Coordinates of all heavy atoms in Angstrom, one line a residue:
M1 N -17.0 24.6 -59.1 CA -17.8 23.4 -59.0 C -19.3 23.8 -59.1 O -19.8 24.7 -58.4 CB -17.5 22.7 -57.7 CG -18.5 21.6 -57.3 SD -18.7 20.2 -58.4 CE -17.2 19.4 -58.4
D2 N -20.0 23.1 -59.9 CA -21.5 23.2 -60.0 C -22.1 22.4 -59.0 O -22.0 21.2 -58.9 CB -21.9 22.8 -61.4 CG -23.4 22.8 -61.6 OD1 -24.1 23.2 -60.7 OD2 -23.8 22.5 -62.7
C3 N -22.9 23.0 -58.1 CA -23.5 22.3 -57.0 C -24.4 21.2 -57.5 O -24.6 20.2 -56.8 CB -24.3 23.2 -56.1 SG -23.3 24.4 -55.1
Q4 N -25.0 21.3 -58.7 CA -25.9 20.3 -59.2 C -25.2 19.1 -59.7 O -25.8 18.1 -60.1 CB -26.7 20.9 -60.4 CG -27.7 21.9 -59.8 CD -28.6 22.6 -60.9 OE1 -28.1 23.0 -61.9 NE2 -29.9 22.7 -60.6
R5 N -23.8 19.2 -59.7 CA -23.0 18.0 -60.0 C -22.3 17.5 -58.7 O -21.3 16.8 -58.8 CB -22.1 18.2 -61.1 CG -22.8 18.3 -62.5 CD -21.8 18.4 -63.6 NE -21.1 19.6 -63.7 CZ -19.8 19.8 -63.6 NH1 -19.0 18.7 -63.4 NH2 -19.2 21.0 -63.6
C6 N -22.7 18.0 -57.6 CA -21.9 17.7 -56.3 C -22.9 17.2 -55.2 O -23.1 16.0 -55.2 CB -21.2 19.0 -55.9 SG -20.3 18.8 -54.4
G7 N -23.4 18.0 -54.4 CA -24.2 17.6 -53.3 C -23.5 17.1 -52.1 O -24.1 16.6 -51.1
A8 N -22.2 17.2 -52.1 CA -21.4 16.7 -50.9 C -21.8 17.2 -49.6 O -21.8 16.5 -48.6 CB -19.9 16.9 -51.2
C9 N -22.1 18.5 -49.5 CA -22.4 19.1 -48.2 C -23.8 18.6 -47.7 O -24.0 18.7 -46.5 CB -22.4 20.7 -48.3 SG -23.5 21.4 -49.6
C10 N -24.6 18.1 -48.6 CA -25.9 17.6 -48.2 C -25.8 16.1 -47.7 O -26.8 15.5 -47.3 CB -26.9 17.7 -49.4 SG -27.0 19.3 -50.2
A11 N -24.6 15.6 -47.9 CA -24.4 14.2 -47.5 C -23.1 14.1 -46.6 O -22.3 13.2 -46.8 CB -24.3 13.3 -48.7
H12 N -22.9 15.1 -45.8 CA -21.7 15.0 -44.9 C -22.0 15.6 -43.5 O -21.4 15.1 -42.5 CB -20.6 15.8 -45.5 CG -19.3 15.7 -44.8 ND1 -18.7 14.5 -44.5 CD2 -18.5 16.6 -44.2 CE1 -17.6 14.7 -43.8 NE2 -17.5 16.0 -43.6
Y13 N -22.9 16.6 -43.4 CA -23.1 17.2 -42.1 C -24.5 16.9 -41.5 O -25.4 16.6 -42.3 CB -23.0 18.8 -42.3 CG -21.7 19.2 -42.7 CD1 -21.5 19.7 -44.0 CD2 -20.6 19.2 -41.9 CE1 -20.2 20.1 -44.5 CE2 -19.3 19.6 -42.3 CZ -19.1 20.1 -43.6 OH -17.9 20.5 -44.0
R14 N -24.6 17.1 -40.2 CA -25.9 17.1 -39.6 C -26.5 18.5 -39.8 O -25.9 19.5 -39.4 CB -25.8 16.8 -38.1 CG -27.2 16.7 -37.5 CD -27.1 16.3 -36.1 NE -26.6 17.3 -35.2 CZ -26.4 17.2 -33.9 NH1 -26.6 16.0 -33.3 NH2 -26.0 18.2 -33.2
V15 N -27.5 18.6 -40.6 CA -28.1 19.9 -41.0 C -29.2 20.3 -40.0 O -30.4 20.0 -40.1 CB -28.7 19.8 -42.4 CG1 -29.3 21.2 -42.8 CG2 -27.6 19.3 -43.4
S16 N -28.7 21.0 -38.9 CA -29.7 21.4 -37.8 C -30.0 22.8 -37.9 O -29.3 23.7 -38.5 CB -29.1 21.0 -36.5 OG -27.8 21.7 -36.3
F17 N -31.2 23.2 -37.3 CA -31.7 24.5 -37.4 C -32.7 24.7 -36.3 O -33.3 23.7 -35.7 CB -32.2 24.9 -38.8 CG -33.2 23.8 -39.3 CD1 -34.6 23.9 -39.1 CD2 -32.7 22.7 -40.0 CE1 -35.4 23.0 -39.6 CE2 -33.6 21.7 -40.4 CZ -34.9 21.9 -40.2
Y18 N -33.1 26.0 -36.0 CA -34.1 26.3 -35.0 C -35.4 25.7 -35.4 O -35.8 25.8 -36.6 CB -34.2 27.8 -34.9 CG -35.1 28.3 -33.8 CD1 -34.9 27.8 -32.5 CD2 -36.1 29.2 -34.0 CE1 -35.7 28.3 -31.5 CE2 -36.9 29.6 -33.0 CZ -36.7 29.2 -31.7 OH -37.6 29.6 -30.8
W19 N -36.1 25.1 -34.5 CA -37.3 24.3 -34.8 C -38.3 25.1 -35.5 O -39.0 24.6 -36.4 CB -37.9 23.7 -33.5 CG -38.6 24.8 -32.7 CD1 -38.0 25.6 -31.7 CD2 -40.0 25.1 -32.8 NE1 -39.0 26.4 -31.2 CE2 -40.2 26.2 -31.8 CE3 -41.0 24.7 -33.5 CZ2 -41.4 26.8 -31.7 CZ3 -42.3 25.3 -33.4 CH2 -42.5 26.4 -32.4
A20 N -38.4 26.4 -35.2 CA -39.5 27.2 -35.8 C -39.3 27.5 -37.3 O -40.2 28.2 -37.9 CB -39.7 28.5 -35.0
E21 N -38.2 27.1 -37.9 CA -38.1 27.2 -39.4 C -39.0 26.1 -40.0 O -39.2 26.2 -41.2 CB -36.7 27.0 -39.8 CG -35.8 28.1 -39.5 CD -34.4 28.0 -40.2 OE1 -34.3 27.7 -41.3 OE2 -33.4 28.3 -39.5
G22 N -39.5 25.2 -39.2 CA -40.4 24.1 -39.8 C -41.8 24.8 -40.1 O -42.2 25.8 -39.5
N23 N -42.4 24.2 -41.1 CA -43.7 24.8 -41.6 C -44.9 24.5 -40.7 O -46.0 24.8 -41.0 CB -44.0 24.4 -43.0 CG -44.2 22.9 -43.2 OD1 -44.2 22.1 -42.2 ND2 -44.4 22.5 -44.5
D24 N -44.6 23.9 -39.5 CA -45.7 23.8 -38.5 C -45.7 25.0 -37.5 O -46.4 25.0 -36.5 CB -45.7 22.5 -37.8 CG -44.3 22.2 -37.0 OD1 -43.4 23.0 -37.2 OD2 -44.3 21.2 -36.3
A25 N -44.8 25.9 -37.7 CA -44.7 27.1 -36.9 C -45.0 28.3 -37.7 O -44.8 28.3 -38.9 CB -43.2 27.3 -36.4
P26 N -45.6 29.3 -37.1 CA -45.9 30.5 -37.9 C -44.7 31.1 -38.6 O -43.7 31.3 -38.0 CB -46.4 31.5 -36.8 CG -46.8 30.7 -35.6 CD -45.9 29.5 -35.7
G27 N -44.8 31.3 -39.9 CA -43.7 31.8 -40.7 C -42.7 30.8 -41.1 O -41.7 31.1 -41.8
G28 N -42.8 29.6 -40.6 CA -41.8 28.5 -40.9 C -42.0 28.0 -42.4 O -43.1 28.2 -42.9
H29 N -41.0 27.4 -42.9 CA -41.1 27.0 -44.3 C -40.6 25.7 -44.7 O -40.8 25.1 -45.7 CB -40.4 28.1 -45.2 CG -39.0 28.3 -44.8 ND1 -38.6 29.2 -43.8 CD2 -37.8 27.8 -45.1 CE1 -37.4 29.2 -43.5 NE2 -36.8 28.3 -44.4
V30 N -39.8 25.1 -43.8 CA -39.2 23.8 -44.1 C -40.2 22.7 -43.8 O -40.8 22.6 -42.7 CB -37.9 23.5 -43.2 CG1 -37.3 22.2 -43.5 CG2 -36.9 24.6 -43.3
P31 N -40.5 21.8 -44.8 CA -41.5 20.8 -44.7 C -41.1 19.8 -43.5 O -40.1 19.2 -43.6 CB -41.4 20.0 -46.0 CG -40.9 21.0 -47.0 CD -39.9 21.8 -46.2
V32 N -41.9 19.8 -42.5 CA -41.5 19.1 -41.2 C -41.5 17.6 -41.4 O -40.7 16.9 -40.7 CB -42.5 19.4 -40.1 CG1 -42.3 20.8 -39.6 CG2 -43.9 19.1 -40.4
E33 N -42.2 17.1 -42.5 CA -42.1 15.6 -42.7 C -40.7 15.2 -43.1 O -40.4 14.0 -43.1 CB -43.1 15.2 -43.7 CG -43.0 15.7 -45.1 CD -43.6 17.0 -45.3 OE1 -43.9 17.8 -44.3 OE2 -43.8 17.4 -46.5
L34 N -39.9 16.2 -43.5 CA -38.5 15.9 -44.0 C -37.5 16.2 -42.9 O -36.3 16.3 -43.1 CB -38.2 16.6 -45.2 CG -38.9 16.1 -46.5 CD1 -38.6 17.1 -47.7 CD2 -38.4 14.7 -46.8
T35 N -38.0 16.4 -41.6 CA -37.1 16.8 -40.5 C -37.3 15.8 -39.4 O -38.2 15.0 -39.3 CB -37.4 18.2 -40.0 OG1 -38.7 18.2 -39.3 CG2 -37.6 19.2 -41.2
E36 N -36.3 15.9 -38.5 CA -36.3 15.1 -37.2 C -36.1 16.1 -36.1 O -35.4 17.1 -36.2 CB -35.2 14.1 -37.2 CG -35.2 13.1 -38.2 CD -33.9 12.3 -38.2 OE1 -33.1 12.4 -37.2 OE2 -33.6 11.6 -39.2
R37 N -36.7 15.8 -34.9 CA -36.5 16.6 -33.8 C -35.2 16.2 -33.1 O -35.0 15.0 -32.9 CB -37.7 16.5 -32.8 CG -37.9 17.6 -31.9 CD -38.5 18.8 -32.6 NE -38.6 19.9 -31.6 CZ -39.7 20.7 -31.5 NH1 -40.7 20.4 -32.3 NH2 -39.7 21.7 -30.7
L38 N -34.4 17.2 -32.8 CA -33.1 16.9 -32.1 C -33.2 17.2 -30.6 O -32.8 16.4 -29.8 CB -32.0 17.7 -32.7 CG -31.3 17.3 -34.0 CD1 -30.2 18.3 -34.4 CD2 -30.6 15.9 -33.8
T39 N -33.6 18.4 -30.3 CA -33.8 18.8 -29.0 C -35.1 19.6 -28.9 O -35.7 19.9 -30.0 CB -32.6 19.8 -28.6 OG1 -32.8 21.0 -29.3 CG2 -31.3 19.2 -28.9
P40 N -35.5 20.1 -27.7 CA -36.7 20.9 -27.7 C -36.6 22.1 -28.6 O -37.7 22.7 -29.1 CB -36.8 21.3 -26.3 CG -36.2 20.2 -25.5 CD -35.0 19.8 -26.4
H41 N -35.4 22.6 -28.9 CA -35.3 23.8 -29.7 C -34.7 23.6 -31.1 O -34.7 24.5 -31.9 CB -34.4 24.8 -29.0 CG -35.0 25.2 -27.7 ND1 -36.1 26.0 -27.6 CD2 -34.6 25.0 -26.4 CE1 -36.4 26.2 -26.3 NE2 -35.5 25.5 -25.6
L42 N -34.2 22.4 -31.4 CA -33.6 22.2 -32.7 C -34.2 21.0 -33.4 O -34.6 20.0 -32.9 CB -32.1 21.9 -32.4 CG -31.1 23.0 -32.0 CD1 -29.7 22.4 -31.8 CD2 -31.1 24.1 -33.1
R43 N -34.2 21.2 -34.7 CA -34.6 20.1 -35.7 C -33.4 19.9 -36.6 O -32.5 20.8 -36.7 CB -35.7 20.5 -36.5 CG -37.1 20.5 -35.9 CD -38.1 20.9 -36.9 NE -39.4 20.3 -36.5 CZ -40.5 21.0 -36.4 NH1 -40.5 22.3 -36.7 NH2 -41.7 20.5 -36.0
C44 N -33.4 18.8 -37.3 CA -32.4 18.6 -38.4 C -33.1 18.0 -39.6 O -34.2 17.5 -39.4 CB -31.2 17.7 -37.9 SG -31.6 16.0 -37.7
M45 N -32.5 18.1 -40.7 CA -33.0 17.5 -41.9 C -32.9 16.0 -41.7 O -31.9 15.4 -41.2 CB -32.3 17.9 -43.2 CG -32.5 19.3 -43.6 SD -34.2 19.8 -43.7 CE -34.8 18.7 -45.1
R46 N -34.0 15.3 -42.0 CA -34.1 13.8 -41.8 C -33.0 13.2 -42.6 O -32.7 13.5 -43.8 CB -35.5 13.3 -42.2 CG -35.6 11.8 -41.9 CD -37.1 11.5 -41.7 NE -38.0 11.9 -42.8 CZ -38.1 11.3 -44.0 NH1 -37.4 10.3 -44.3 NH2 -38.9 11.8 -44.9
G47 N -32.3 12.2 -41.9 CA -31.2 11.5 -42.6 C -29.8 12.1 -42.4 O -28.8 11.5 -42.7
T48 N -29.8 13.3 -41.8 CA -28.5 13.9 -41.6 C -27.9 13.7 -40.2 O -26.7 14.1 -40.0 CB -28.5 15.4 -41.9 OG1 -29.3 16.1 -40.9 CG2 -29.1 15.7 -43.3
S49 N -28.7 13.1 -39.3 CA -28.1 12.9 -38.0 C -27.8 11.4 -37.8 O -28.3 10.7 -37.0 CB -29.2 13.3 -36.9 OG -28.6 13.1 -35.6
S50 N -26.9 11.0 -38.7 CA -26.4 9.6 -38.6 C -25.0 9.5 -38.9 O -24.3 10.5 -39.2 CB -27.2 8.7 -39.6 OG -26.7 9.0 -40.9
D51 N -24.4 8.3 -38.8 CA -23.0 8.2 -39.1 C -22.6 8.4 -40.6 O -21.5 8.8 -40.9 CB -22.5 6.8 -38.7 CG -22.5 6.6 -37.2 OD1 -22.5 7.6 -36.5 OD2 -22.5 5.4 -36.8
S52 N -23.6 8.2 -41.4 CA -23.5 8.5 -42.9 C -24.6 9.4 -43.3 O -25.6 9.0 -43.9 CB -23.5 7.2 -43.7 OG -22.5 6.3 -43.3
P53 N -24.4 10.7 -43.0 CA -25.5 11.6 -43.3 C -25.9 11.7 -44.8 O -25.0 11.6 -45.7 CB -24.9 13.0 -42.8 CG -23.7 12.6 -41.9 CD -23.2 11.3 -42.5
H54 N -27.2 11.8 -45.0 CA -27.7 12.0 -46.4 C -29.0 12.6 -46.2 O -30.0 12.0 -45.8 CB -27.8 10.7 -47.1 CG -28.0 10.8 -48.6 ND1 -27.1 10.6 -49.6 CD2 -29.1 11.2 -49.2 CE1 -27.6 10.9 -50.8 NE2 -28.9 11.2 -50.6
C55 N -29.2 13.8 -46.6 CA -30.4 14.6 -46.4 C -31.6 13.9 -47.2 O -31.4 13.6 -48.4 CB -30.2 16.0 -46.9 SG -31.7 17.0 -46.7
A56 N -32.7 13.8 -46.6 CA -33.9 13.2 -47.2 C -34.4 14.0 -48.4 O -35.1 13.5 -49.2 CB -35.0 13.0 -46.2
A57 N -34.0 15.3 -48.4 CA -34.5 16.2 -49.5 C -33.5 16.1 -50.7 O -33.8 16.7 -51.8 CB -34.6 17.6 -49.0
L58 N -32.4 15.4 -50.6 CA -31.5 15.4 -51.7 C -31.9 14.2 -52.7 O -32.1 13.1 -52.3 CB -30.1 15.1 -51.2 CG -28.9 15.1 -52.2 CD1 -28.7 16.6 -52.7 CD2 -27.6 14.6 -51.6
R59 N -32.0 14.6 -54.0 CA -32.2 13.5 -54.9 C -31.0 13.4 -55.8 O -30.2 14.4 -56.0 CB -33.5 13.8 -55.8 CG -33.4 15.1 -56.6 CD -34.5 15.2 -57.6 NE -34.7 16.5 -58.1 CZ -33.9 17.2 -58.9 NH1 -32.8 16.6 -59.3 NH2 -34.2 18.4 -59.3
G60 N -30.9 12.3 -56.5 CA -29.8 12.1 -57.4 C -28.6 11.4 -56.7 O -28.7 10.8 -55.6
E61 N -27.5 11.4 -57.4 CA -26.3 10.7 -56.9 C -25.2 11.8 -56.7 O -24.8 12.6 -57.5 CB -25.8 9.7 -58.0 CG -24.6 8.9 -57.6 CD -24.2 7.9 -58.6 OE1 -25.0 7.6 -59.6 OE2 -23.1 7.3 -58.5
V62 N -24.7 11.7 -55.4 CA -23.6 12.7 -55.0 C -22.4 12.6 -56.0 O -22.0 11.5 -56.3 CB -23.2 12.4 -53.6 CG1 -22.0 13.3 -53.2 CG2 -24.4 12.7 -52.6
G63 N -22.0 13.7 -56.4 CA -20.8 13.7 -57.3 C -21.1 13.5 -58.8 O -20.2 13.6 -59.6
V64 N -22.4 13.3 -59.1 CA -22.8 13.0 -60.4 C -23.9 14.0 -60.9 O -23.6 14.9 -61.7 CB -23.3 11.6 -60.6 CG1 -23.7 11.3 -62.1 CG2 -22.3 10.6 -60.2
S65 N -25.0 13.9 -60.3 CA -26.1 14.8 -60.6 C -27.1 14.8 -59.4 O -27.6 13.8 -59.1 CB -26.8 14.4 -61.9 OG -28.0 15.2 -62.2
V66 N -27.3 16.0 -58.8 CA -28.2 16.1 -57.6 C -29.1 17.3 -57.7 O -28.9 18.2 -58.5 CB -27.3 16.1 -56.3 CG1 -26.5 14.9 -56.1 CG2 -26.4 17.4 -56.4
G67 N -30.0 17.3 -56.8 CA -30.9 18.5 -56.7 C -31.5 18.4 -55.3 O -31.6 17.4 -54.7
C68 N -31.9 19.6 -54.8 CA -32.6 19.7 -53.5 C -34.1 19.8 -53.9 O -34.5 20.7 -54.6 CB -32.1 21.0 -52.8 SG -33.1 21.3 -51.3
T69 N -34.9 18.9 -53.4 CA -36.3 18.8 -53.7 C -37.1 19.9 -53.0 O -38.3 20.1 -53.2 CB -36.9 17.5 -53.4 OG1 -36.7 17.2 -52.0 CG2 -36.3 16.4 -54.2
I70 N -36.4 20.6 -52.0 CA -37.1 21.7 -51.3 C -36.3 23.0 -51.4 O -36.2 23.7 -50.4 CB -37.4 21.3 -49.8 CG1 -36.1 21.0 -49.1 CG2 -38.4 20.1 -49.7 CD1 -36.2 21.0 -47.5
Y71 N -35.7 23.2 -52.5 CA -34.7 24.3 -52.6 C -35.2 25.6 -52.1 O -34.5 26.3 -51.3 CB -34.3 24.4 -54.1 CG -33.1 25.3 -54.3 CD1 -31.8 24.9 -53.9 CD2 -33.3 26.6 -54.8 CE1 -30.7 25.7 -54.1 CE2 -32.2 27.5 -54.9 CZ -30.9 27.0 -54.6 OH -29.8 27.9 -54.7
T72 N -36.4 26.0 -52.4 CA -36.8 27.3 -52.0 C -37.3 27.3 -50.5 O -37.5 28.4 -49.9 CB -38.0 27.9 -52.9 OG1 -39.1 26.9 -52.8 CG2 -37.5 28.0 -54.3
Q73 N -37.4 26.1 -50.0 CA -37.9 26.0 -48.6 C -36.8 25.4 -47.7 O -37.1 25.1 -46.5 CB -39.1 25.0 -48.5 CG -40.3 25.5 -49.3 CD -41.3 24.3 -49.5 OE1 -41.1 23.4 -50.3 NE2 -42.3 24.3 -48.7
R74 N -35.6 25.3 -48.2 CA -34.5 24.7 -47.4 C -34.2 25.6 -46.2 O -34.4 26.8 -46.2 CB -33.2 24.5 -48.3 CG -32.5 25.8 -48.7 CD -31.6 25.4 -49.9 NE -30.7 26.5 -50.3 CZ -31.0 27.6 -50.9 NH1 -32.3 27.8 -51.2 NH2 -30.1 28.5 -51.3
P75 N -33.6 25.0 -45.1 CA -33.4 25.7 -43.9 C -32.2 26.7 -44.0 O -31.4 26.6 -45.0 CB -33.0 24.6 -42.9 CG -32.6 23.5 -43.7 CD -33.3 23.5 -45.0
S76 N -32.1 27.6 -43.1 CA -31.1 28.7 -43.1 C -29.7 28.1 -43.2 O -28.8 28.6 -43.8 CB -31.2 29.6 -41.9 OG -31.1 28.9 -40.7
T77 N -29.5 26.9 -42.5 CA -28.2 26.2 -42.5 C -27.7 26.0 -43.9 O -26.5 26.1 -44.1 CB -28.4 24.9 -41.7 OG1 -29.2 25.1 -40.6 CG2 -27.0 24.4 -41.3
C78 N -28.6 25.7 -44.8 CA -28.2 25.3 -46.1 C -27.7 26.6 -46.9 O -26.8 26.6 -47.7 CB -29.3 24.6 -46.9 SG -29.9 23.2 -46.0
H79 N -28.4 27.7 -46.6 CA -28.0 29.0 -47.2 C -26.6 29.4 -46.8 O -25.9 30.1 -47.5 CB -29.0 30.1 -46.8 CG -30.4 29.9 -47.3 ND1 -30.9 30.6 -48.4 CD2 -31.4 29.1 -46.9 CE1 -32.1 30.3 -48.6 NE2 -32.5 29.4 -47.8
D80 N -26.2 29.0 -45.6 CA -24.9 29.4 -45.1 C -23.7 28.8 -45.8 O -22.6 29.4 -45.7 CB -24.8 29.1 -43.6 CG -25.8 29.9 -42.8 OD1 -26.3 31.0 -43.3 OD2 -26.1 29.5 -41.6
V81 N -23.9 27.6 -46.4 CA -22.7 27.0 -47.1 C -22.5 27.7 -48.4 O -23.5 27.8 -49.2 CB -23.0 25.5 -47.3 CG1 -21.7 24.9 -48.0 CG2 -23.2 24.8 -45.9
Q82 N -21.3 28.1 -48.7 CA -21.0 28.8 -50.0 C -20.0 27.9 -50.7 O -19.1 27.3 -50.1 CB -20.4 30.2 -49.7 CG -21.3 31.1 -49.0 CD -22.6 31.5 -49.8 OE1 -22.5 31.7 -51.0 NE2 -23.7 31.5 -49.1
V83 N -20.1 27.9 -52.0 CA -19.1 27.2 -52.8 C -17.7 27.7 -52.5 O -17.5 28.9 -52.5 CB -19.4 27.4 -54.3 CG1 -18.4 26.7 -55.2 CG2 -20.8 26.8 -54.7
G84 N -16.9 26.7 -52.2 CA -15.5 27.1 -52.0 C -15.1 27.4 -50.5 O -14.0 27.6 -50.2
D85 N -16.2 27.5 -49.6 CA -15.8 27.8 -48.2 C -15.3 26.5 -47.5 O -15.3 25.4 -48.1 CB -17.0 28.5 -47.5 CG -18.2 27.6 -47.2 OD1 -18.0 26.4 -47.4 OD2 -19.2 28.1 -46.8
A86 N -15.0 26.7 -46.2 CA -14.4 25.6 -45.5 C -15.3 24.4 -45.4 O -14.8 23.2 -45.6 CB -14.0 26.1 -44.1
Q87 N -16.6 24.6 -45.2 CA -17.5 23.5 -45.1 C -17.6 22.7 -46.4 O -17.7 21.5 -46.5 CB -18.9 24.0 -44.7 CG -19.0 24.3 -43.2 CD -20.4 24.6 -42.8 OE1 -21.0 25.5 -43.3 NE2 -20.9 23.9 -41.9
C88 N -17.7 23.5 -47.5 CA -17.8 23.0 -48.9 C -16.6 22.1 -49.1 O -16.7 20.9 -49.6 CB -17.9 24.1 -49.9 SG -17.6 23.6 -51.6
L89 N -15.4 22.7 -48.9 CA -14.2 21.9 -49.2 C -14.0 20.7 -48.4 O -13.6 19.6 -48.9 CB -12.9 22.8 -49.0 CG -12.9 24.1 -49.9 CD1 -11.6 24.9 -49.6 CD2 -12.9 23.7 -51.4
K90 N -14.4 20.7 -47.1 CA -14.3 19.5 -46.3 C -15.3 18.4 -46.8 O -14.9 17.3 -46.8 CB -14.7 19.9 -44.8 CG -14.4 18.8 -43.8 CD -14.7 19.4 -42.4 CE -14.7 18.2 -41.4 NZ -15.4 18.5 -40.2
A91 N -16.5 18.8 -47.1 CA -17.5 17.8 -47.6 C -17.0 17.2 -48.9 O -17.1 16.0 -49.1 CB -18.8 18.5 -47.8
R92 N -16.5 18.1 -49.8 CA -16.0 17.6 -51.1 C -14.9 16.6 -50.9 O -14.8 15.6 -51.6 CB -15.7 18.8 -52.0 CG -16.9 19.4 -52.6 CD -16.7 20.8 -53.2 NE -15.4 20.9 -54.0 CZ -15.1 22.0 -54.6 NH1 -15.9 23.0 -54.6 NH2 -14.0 22.0 -55.3
A93 N -13.9 17.0 -50.0 CA -12.8 16.1 -49.8 C -13.3 14.8 -49.3 O -12.7 13.7 -49.7 CB -11.8 16.8 -48.8
H94 N -14.2 14.8 -48.4 CA -14.8 13.5 -47.8 C -15.3 12.6 -48.9 O -15.1 11.4 -48.9 CB -15.9 13.8 -46.8 CG -16.5 12.6 -46.3 ND1 -16.0 11.8 -45.3 CD2 -17.7 12.0 -46.7 CE1 -16.8 10.8 -45.1 NE2 -17.9 10.9 -45.9
H95 N -15.9 13.2 -49.9 CA -16.5 12.4 -51.0 C -15.6 12.3 -52.2 O -16.0 11.7 -53.2 CB -17.8 13.1 -51.5 CG -19.0 12.9 -50.5 ND1 -19.7 11.7 -50.5 CD2 -19.5 13.7 -49.5 CE1 -20.7 11.8 -49.6 NE2 -20.5 12.9 -49.0
G96 N -14.4 12.8 -52.1 CA -13.4 12.7 -53.2 C -13.8 13.5 -54.4 O -13.4 13.1 -55.5
I97 N -14.5 14.6 -54.2 CA -14.9 15.5 -55.3 C -13.9 16.6 -55.3 O -13.9 17.5 -54.4 CB -16.3 15.9 -55.1 CG1 -17.3 14.7 -55.0 CG2 -16.7 16.9 -56.3 CD1 -18.7 15.1 -54.6
T98 N -13.1 16.7 -56.3 CA -12.1 17.8 -56.4 C -12.6 19.0 -57.3 O -13.6 18.8 -58.0 CB -10.8 17.3 -57.0 OG1 -11.1 16.7 -58.2 CG2 -10.2 16.3 -56.1
Ligands
SF4_101 S1 -20.1 20.9 -51.3 FE1 -19.8 22.9 -52.2 S2 -19.9 22.5 -54.4 FE2 -20.8 20.8 -53.4 S3 -23.0 21.2 -53.3 FE3 -22.1 21.9 -51.4 S4 -21.7 24.1 -51.7 FE4 -22.0 23.1 -53.8
SF4_102 S1 -32.4 20.7 -47.6 FE1 -31.6 20.7 -49.6 S2 -29.8 22.0 -49.6 FE2 -30.3 21.4 -47.5 S3 -29.0 19.6 -47.0 FE3 -31.0 18.9 -47.7 S4 -30.8 18.6 -50.0 FE4 -29.1 19.9 -49.2

């Protein structure tokens, strides 16, 4: 599966990460305007902490053509998902992408 024709994992999970990955912290890189504060220590990508998660950085249509508008600045959580792993397969199944 080509991730650029999928995007299911960006529209299924709450994408949370340590707050200091935000670009308002020294060495941080994730644009904070695209994040929400979850706890004193955690942020998440805006739009992913809801009943129908959809990351604010995702453009395009899930299952058709998508892209991450902050690809080189995405949080570590996003690096952890690998094509074909359990999280990928669960997100794809949810969106009916085989
Ligand atoms: S769900 Fe899997 S195939 Fe789809 S974008 Fe995420 S990693 Fe890529
Ligand atoms: S930051 Fe990019 S890779 Fe991560 S969930 Fe959002 S759109 Fe997907």
Side-chain angles (χ1 to χ4, degrees):
M1 165 59 69
D2 177 358
C3 291
Q4 291 180 315
R5 287 188 289 119
C6 180
C9 56
C10 310
H12 186 59
Y13 296 108
R14 186 172 73 183
V15 181
S16 60
F17 49 93
Y18 185 54
W19 74 272
E21 288 191 43
N23 65 1
D24 58 351
H29 53 275
V30 182
V32 291
E33 66 274 17
L34 290 174
T35 72
E36 297 171 14
R37 202 75 183 227
L38 277 179
T39 72
H41 298 292
L42 287 178
R43 283 180 157 130
C44 70
M45 291 307 297
R46 185 154 53 78
T48 67
S49 184
S50 77
D51 291 342
S52 301
H54 190 106
C55 180
L58 186 69
R59 63 168 162 71
E61 186 179 343
V62 173
V64 180
S65 177
V66 294
C68 174
T69 57
I70 58 161
Y71 190 74
T72 61
Q73 298 167 282
R74 68 198 191 286
S76 58
T77 319
C78 306
H79 293 258
D80 292 341
V81 181
Q82 300 292 322
V83 176
D85 73 9
Q87 283 186 302
C88 166
L89 296 179
K90 186 176 171 201
R92 280 163 45 176
H94 174 82
H95 285 278
I97 302 168
T98 55

